[in-house]
Amino acid sequence: MALALMNTVLIIIITTIIMFILYKFLFGKSKSGKKNSIMIIGPSGSGKTTLFYHLLGQKNIQTVASMQINKVENYTSELLSSASTYDIIDVPGTGYFKDKIMDLIPSTIILLVIIDSTLKNSIIQAAEYLYDILNSDKYTEDLYIYVCCNKQDASFPKSKKMIENELTKEIENLIKIKQKNNLEDKEQIGTLFQIKGKFSFNMFSNITFIETDQKTEYETLIKKIKDVLEVA
């Protein structure tokens, strides 16, 4: 009788342990794999860090070119009206951090690509960022990408349509160059090498072009981010 009781208790204990392990594996894995980052990237001087501080509720901050990644973890933003917490990340605009960007893509729900609308070189560099991301095996269609045509309050900025056209041409040229150079197959596994015909941003329903500037407090962009976070 006592032996049977001990066996029953042992079975209950073992079952409980197994259920606990399964729970941690299934639900814990899901939680850790959740996309919970808003990442800001783009060429140096495009206005990334100013936007970063604006999302944190700090306006009119004087910034300099960042030399390291700015990151705030588990942040609840009153500006974005989100009850959930998110990591907000500002990546410096140098090639040194490109691999880090790729490492962060899987955990990113919103990617903000910031461009100085007054500078041709800023558009060229942004095209390289977008090419690398769209052609990466880490890219997925549930990544919301907002191409921010920034500094619209400056003199002679280009419109978002003009910038979209220039980015399209730059990315088309990059695809041709990579193909002409006969890169290894492992570098051609991404989305861009599967496109038949000419490249177009119309192929990507998750990419949106927005005109932004500090003067209007990024009003249109903030609304777009809120809409995404409400359904995330």
Side-chain angles (χ1 to χ4, degrees):
M1 184 72 177
L3 182 60
L5 180 59
M6 288 179 62
N7 288 337
T8 302
V9 172
L10 184 59
I11 291 172
I12 293 173
I13 293 173
I14 293 173
T15 303
T16 303
I17 293 172
I18 292 173
M19 291 180 67
F20 177 79
I21 292 173
L22 285 173
Y23 177 87
K24 293 294 288 184
F25 176 78
L26 294 175
F27 294 94
K29 184 177 180 180
S30 175
K31 183 177 180 180
S32 63
K34 180 183 178 182
K35 291 175 173 286
N36 70 333
S37 296
I38 301 172
M39 181 162 56
I40 307 170
I41 67 171
S44 181
S46 56
K48 299 183 301 298
T49 304
T50 299
L51 175 58
F52 171 77
Y53 282 112
H54 188 87
L55 294 179
L56 298 179
Q58 302 178 39
K59 304 176 183 179
N60 302 317
I61 299 293
Q62 296 295 321
T63 64
V64 295
S66 301
M67 301 303 293
Q68 61 183 8
I69 293 176
N70 297 310
K71 182 177 182 180
V72 175
E73 297 181 339
N74 300 320
Y75 184 75
T76 301
S77 174
E78 294 181 5
L79 178 66
L80 301 178
S81 303
S82 175
S84 300
T85 60
Y86 293 89
D87 295 345
I88 302 179
I89 307 168
D90 165 33
V91 182
T94 65
Y96 176 80
F97 292 97
K98 281 192 174 182
D99 287 343
K100 184 61 178 176
I101 290 174
M102 295 304 170
D103 291 341
L104 292 169
I105 286 293
S107 62
T108 300
I109 184 172
I110 298 175
L111 180 68
L112 307 178
V113 182
I114 315 300
I115 299 173
D116 185 337
S117 301
T118 67
L119 296 178
K120 172 67 174 179
N121 194 50
S122 188
I123 298 172
I124 294 173
Q125 291 180 50
E128 294 174 358
Y129 278 103
L130 287 166
Y131 170 87
D132 289 341
I133 290 167
L134 295 178
N135 201 49
S136 168
D137 59 343
K138 295 182 180 180
Y139 164 77
T140 56
E141 292 183 353
D142 59 351
L143 172 65
Y144 293 85
I145 301 177
Y146 292 99
V147 180
C148 302
C149 307
N150 201 29
K151 301 189 179 183
Q152 289 292 316
D153 52 343
S155 299
F156 309 112
K158 293 183 178 180
S159 68
K160 64 181 182 180
K161 189 59 182 177
M162 292 176 65
I163 291 176
E164 180 179 348
N165 290 338
E166 290 193 29
L167 283 173
T168 299
K169 292 178 182 178
E170 292 295 333
I171 291 176
E172 282 181 348
N173 287 335
L174 286 170
I175 293 172
K176 290 177 182 178
I177 290 171
K178 301 293 185 182
Q179 290 175 333
K180 187 176 181 180
N181 289 342
N182 294 319
L183 295 181
E184 297 178 5
D185 290 341
K186 67 179 182 180
E187 295 187 38
Q188 300 188 9
I189 58 177
T191 303
L192 298 186
F193 287 99
Q194 299 172 12
I195 292 175
K196 296 180 179 179
K198 288 189 175 182
F199 171 85
S200 172
F201 282 104
N202 292 330
M203 300 172 177
F204 302 89
S205 60
N206 58 322
I207 299 179
T208 304
F209 284 78
I210 300 178
E211 294 178 353
T212 58
D213 59 72
Q214 189 177 5
K215 188 175 181 179
T216 60
E217 298 189 343
Y218 312 99
E219 182 178 2
T220 304
L221 176 62
I222 298 299
K223 185 180 184 303
K224 293 288 186 181
I225 296 175
K226 284 182 179 180
D227 291 343
V228 172
L229 298 184
E230 283 179 1
V231 298

